[in-house]
Short mmCIF file of all heavy atoms in Angstrom, two decimals:
data_model
loop_
_atom_site.label_atom_id
_atom_site.label_comp_id
_atom_site.label_asym_id
_atom_site.label_seq_id
_atom_site.Cartn_x
_atom_site.Cartn_y
_atom_site.Cartn_z
N ALA A 1 84.94 127.69 105.82
CA ALA A 1 85.69 128.91 105.49
C ALA A 1 86.31 129.49 106.75
O ALA A 1 85.66 129.59 107.79
CB ALA A 1 84.77 129.94 104.84
N ALA A 2 87.58 129.87 106.65
CA ALA A 2 88.29 130.53 107.75
C ALA A 2 88.97 131.79 107.21
O ALA A 2 89.07 131.99 106.01
CB ALA A 2 89.33 129.57 108.34
N VAL A 3 89.41 132.62 108.11
CA VAL A 3 90.11 133.85 107.70
C VAL A 3 91.39 133.50 106.94
O VAL A 3 91.74 134.15 105.96
CB VAL A 3 90.41 134.73 108.92
CG1 VAL A 3 91.25 135.93 108.51
CG2 VAL A 3 89.11 135.18 109.59
N GLU A 4 92.07 132.46 107.40
CA GLU A 4 93.28 132.02 106.72
C GLU A 4 92.91 131.30 105.42
O GLU A 4 92.18 130.30 105.44
CB GLU A 4 94.08 131.07 107.61
CG GLU A 4 95.41 130.63 107.04
CD GLU A 4 96.42 131.75 107.00
OE1 GLU A 4 96.27 132.72 107.80
OE2 GLU A 4 97.36 131.67 106.19
N PRO A 5 93.37 131.79 104.26
CA PRO A 5 93.02 131.13 102.99
C PRO A 5 93.50 129.68 102.98
O PRO A 5 94.57 129.36 103.50
CB PRO A 5 93.75 131.97 101.94
CG PRO A 5 93.97 133.29 102.59
CD PRO A 5 94.18 133.00 104.04
N ARG A 6 92.71 128.82 102.35
CA ARG A 6 93.07 127.41 102.26
C ARG A 6 92.70 126.89 100.88
O ARG A 6 91.58 127.08 100.41
CB ARG A 6 92.33 126.61 103.33
CG ARG A 6 92.58 125.10 103.23
CD ARG A 6 91.96 124.37 104.40
NE ARG A 6 90.53 124.60 104.52
CZ ARG A 6 89.81 124.34 105.60
NH1 ARG A 6 90.40 123.88 106.67
NH2 ARG A 6 88.51 124.57 105.61
N GLU A 7 93.66 126.24 100.21
CA GLU A 7 93.38 125.65 98.90
C GLU A 7 92.76 124.27 99.09
O GLU A 7 93.23 123.47 99.90
CB GLU A 7 94.65 125.54 98.06
CG GLU A 7 94.36 125.07 96.65
CD GLU A 7 95.57 125.03 95.75
OE1 GLU A 7 96.44 124.15 95.97
OE2 GLU A 7 95.67 125.87 94.84
N VAL A 8 91.71 124.00 98.33
CA VAL A 8 90.98 122.75 98.42
C VAL A 8 90.87 122.14 97.04
O VAL A 8 90.55 122.82 96.07
CB VAL A 8 89.56 122.97 99.00
CG1 VAL A 8 88.79 121.66 99.05
CG2 VAL A 8 89.64 123.60 100.38
N GLN A 9 91.16 120.85 96.96
CA GLN A 9 90.93 120.12 95.72
C GLN A 9 89.48 119.66 95.69
O GLN A 9 89.04 118.89 96.54
CB GLN A 9 91.86 118.91 95.62
CG GLN A 9 91.77 118.19 94.27
CD GLN A 9 92.57 116.91 94.24
OE1 GLN A 9 92.06 115.83 94.55
NE2 GLN A 9 93.84 117.01 93.87
N LEU A 10 88.70 120.16 94.72
CA LEU A 10 87.28 119.83 94.62
C LEU A 10 87.02 118.56 93.81
O LEU A 10 86.03 117.87 94.03
CB LEU A 10 86.52 121.00 93.99
CG LEU A 10 86.61 122.34 94.72
CD1 LEU A 10 85.83 123.40 93.95
CD2 LEU A 10 86.09 122.22 96.15
N ALA A 11 87.90 118.27 92.86
CA ALA A 11 87.71 117.11 91.99
C ALA A 11 89.06 116.71 91.42
O ALA A 11 89.99 117.53 91.32
CB ALA A 11 86.72 117.42 90.87
N GLU A 12 89.16 115.46 91.05
CA GLU A 12 90.38 114.93 90.45
C GLU A 12 90.00 114.16 89.19
O GLU A 12 88.92 113.56 89.11
CB GLU A 12 91.10 113.99 91.43
CG GLU A 12 92.41 113.45 90.93
CD GLU A 12 93.09 112.54 91.95
OE1 GLU A 12 92.37 111.99 92.82
OE2 GLU A 12 94.31 112.39 91.88
N ALA A 13 90.87 114.19 88.20
CA ALA A 13 90.60 113.45 86.97
C ALA A 13 90.37 111.98 87.27
O ALA A 13 90.91 111.43 88.24
CB ALA A 13 91.76 113.61 85.99
N TYR A 14 89.58 111.33 86.42
CA TYR A 14 89.21 109.94 86.66
C TYR A 14 90.44 109.05 86.72
O TYR A 14 90.43 108.04 87.43
CB TYR A 14 88.26 109.47 85.56
CG TYR A 14 87.65 108.13 85.82
CD1 TYR A 14 86.72 107.97 86.84
CD2 TYR A 14 87.99 107.01 85.06
CE1 TYR A 14 86.15 106.74 87.11
CE2 TYR A 14 87.42 105.78 85.31
CZ TYR A 14 86.51 105.64 86.33
OH TYR A 14 85.95 104.42 86.59
N CYS A 15 91.51 109.42 86.00
CA CYS A 15 92.76 108.65 86.09
C CYS A 15 93.46 109.02 87.39
O CYS A 15 93.34 108.33 88.39
CB CYS A 15 93.63 108.90 84.87
SG CYS A 15 93.69 110.63 84.34
N THR A 16 94.19 110.12 87.40
CA THR A 16 94.81 110.69 88.60
C THR A 16 95.12 112.15 88.31
O THR A 16 95.15 112.57 87.15
CB THR A 16 96.13 110.00 88.98
OG1 THR A 16 97.06 110.16 87.91
CG2 THR A 16 95.94 108.53 89.28
N GLU A 17 95.41 112.91 89.35
CA GLU A 17 95.81 114.30 89.13
C GLU A 17 97.11 114.38 88.33
O GLU A 17 97.27 115.23 87.47
CB GLU A 17 95.98 115.02 90.46
CG GLU A 17 96.41 116.48 90.29
CD GLU A 17 96.55 117.24 91.60
OE1 GLU A 17 96.46 116.60 92.66
OE2 GLU A 17 96.75 118.47 91.54
N GLY A 18 98.03 113.45 88.61
CA GLY A 18 99.30 113.48 87.92
C GLY A 18 99.17 113.23 86.43
O GLY A 18 100.05 113.61 85.66
N CYS A 19 98.07 112.60 86.02
CA CYS A 19 97.87 112.31 84.60
C CYS A 19 97.10 113.44 83.91
O CYS A 19 97.60 114.04 82.97
CB CYS A 19 97.12 110.99 84.44
SG CYS A 19 96.81 110.50 82.72
N CYS A 20 95.91 113.71 84.37
CA CYS A 20 95.04 114.68 83.67
C CYS A 20 94.58 115.84 84.55
O CYS A 20 93.68 116.58 84.16
CB CYS A 20 93.82 113.96 83.09
SG CYS A 20 94.25 112.84 81.73
N GLY A 21 95.16 115.97 85.73
CA GLY A 21 94.91 117.17 86.50
C GLY A 21 93.79 117.06 87.52
O GLY A 21 93.21 116.01 87.74
N ALA A 22 93.49 118.20 88.13
CA ALA A 22 92.46 118.29 89.17
C ALA A 22 91.95 119.72 89.20
O ALA A 22 92.50 120.62 88.55
CB ALA A 22 93.03 117.88 90.53
N LEU A 23 90.85 119.92 89.93
CA LEU A 23 90.26 121.24 90.09
C LEU A 23 90.49 121.70 91.52
O LEU A 23 90.05 121.05 92.47
CB LEU A 23 88.76 121.20 89.78
CG LEU A 23 88.00 122.52 89.95
CD1 LEU A 23 88.48 123.56 88.94
CD2 LEU A 23 86.49 122.29 89.80
N HIS A 24 91.19 122.83 91.68
CA HIS A 24 91.48 123.39 93.00
C HIS A 24 90.89 124.80 93.10
O HIS A 24 90.81 125.52 92.11
CB HIS A 24 92.99 123.51 93.25
CG HIS A 24 93.71 122.21 93.28
ND1 HIS A 24 94.12 121.55 92.13
CD2 HIS A 24 94.12 121.43 94.33
CE1 HIS A 24 94.75 120.44 92.46
NE2 HIS A 24 94.76 120.34 93.78
N VAL A 25 90.52 125.18 94.33
CA VAL A 25 90.07 126.54 94.60
C VAL A 25 90.59 126.95 95.98
O VAL A 25 90.80 126.09 96.85
CB VAL A 25 88.52 126.64 94.56
CG1 VAL A 25 87.89 125.86 95.71
CG2 VAL A 25 88.06 128.09 94.58
N THR A 26 90.80 128.23 96.16
CA THR A 26 91.18 128.76 97.47
C THR A 26 89.95 129.35 98.14
O THR A 26 89.25 130.18 97.54
CB THR A 26 92.27 129.83 97.32
OG1 THR A 26 93.44 129.22 96.78
CG2 THR A 26 92.61 130.44 98.68
N ILE A 27 89.67 128.90 99.36
CA ILE A 27 88.49 129.33 100.12
C ILE A 27 88.95 130.15 101.32
O ILE A 27 89.85 129.72 102.06
CB ILE A 27 87.68 128.12 100.60
CG1 ILE A 27 87.22 127.27 99.41
CG2 ILE A 27 86.47 128.56 101.43
CD1 ILE A 27 86.52 125.98 99.81
N HIS A 28 88.35 131.32 101.50
CA HIS A 28 88.65 132.07 102.72
C HIS A 28 87.51 133.04 103.03
O HIS A 28 86.64 133.31 102.20
CB HIS A 28 89.99 132.81 102.60
CG HIS A 28 89.97 134.02 101.73
ND1 HIS A 28 90.15 135.29 102.21
CD2 HIS A 28 89.77 134.15 100.40
CE1 HIS A 28 90.07 136.15 101.21
NE2 HIS A 28 89.85 135.50 100.11
N ARG A 29 87.52 133.52 104.25
CA ARG A 29 86.45 134.38 104.75
C ARG A 29 86.93 135.83 104.75
O ARG A 29 88.03 136.14 105.22
CB ARG A 29 86.08 133.95 106.17
CG ARG A 29 84.88 134.68 106.77
CD ARG A 29 84.62 134.17 108.19
NE ARG A 29 84.32 132.76 108.21
CZ ARG A 29 83.09 132.25 108.08
NH1 ARG A 29 82.05 133.07 107.91
NH2 ARG A 29 82.90 130.96 108.11
N GLU A 30 86.10 136.70 104.19
CA GLU A 30 86.36 138.14 104.20
C GLU A 30 85.16 138.84 104.83
O GLU A 30 84.16 139.08 104.16
CB GLU A 30 86.59 138.67 102.78
CG GLU A 30 87.92 138.30 102.17
CD GLU A 30 88.13 138.96 100.81
OE1 GLU A 30 87.23 139.73 100.37
OE2 GLU A 30 89.17 138.73 100.19
N GLY A 31 85.25 139.15 106.10
CA GLY A 31 84.14 139.81 106.78
C GLY A 31 82.89 138.96 106.75
O GLY A 31 82.89 137.82 107.22
N ASP A 32 81.81 139.52 106.17
CA ASP A 32 80.55 138.78 106.12
C ASP A 32 80.38 138.02 104.81
O ASP A 32 79.26 137.67 104.44
CB ASP A 32 79.37 139.74 106.33
CG ASP A 32 79.32 140.83 105.26
OD1 ASP A 32 80.23 140.87 104.40
OD2 ASP A 32 78.38 141.64 105.29
N GLN A 33 81.49 137.76 104.12
CA GLN A 33 81.44 136.99 102.88
C GLN A 33 82.47 135.86 102.90
O GLN A 33 83.50 135.95 103.56
CB GLN A 33 81.71 137.90 101.67
CG GLN A 33 80.60 138.90 101.39
CD GLN A 33 80.83 139.63 100.09
OE1 GLN A 33 81.96 139.93 99.71
NE2 GLN A 33 79.74 139.93 99.38
N VAL A 34 82.14 134.80 102.13
CA VAL A 34 83.08 133.72 101.88
C VAL A 34 83.44 133.78 100.40
O VAL A 34 82.56 133.92 99.54
CB VAL A 34 82.48 132.34 102.23
CG1 VAL A 34 83.40 131.21 101.76
CG2 VAL A 34 82.23 132.25 103.73
#
């Protein structure tokens, strides 16, 4: 985690992202929390 937000792909469909998608989240640090 950094102060600058960053999007991360956590998982991808068994085929490909272009076919059935993927799971993304944005991770960033806010003070004493992530």
Side-chain angles (χ1 to χ4, degrees):
V3 175
E4 184 70 24
R6 176 174 57 196
E7 186 176 71
V8 178
Q9 186 187 91
L10 301 179
E12 183 180 23
Y14 189 68
C15 42
T16 61
E17 179 179 8
C19 180
C20 292
L23 178 65
H24 296 82
V25 67
T26 296
I27 301 175
H28 74 114
R29 186 181 299 271
E30 287 185 1
D32 60 357
Q33 291 188 324
V34 172

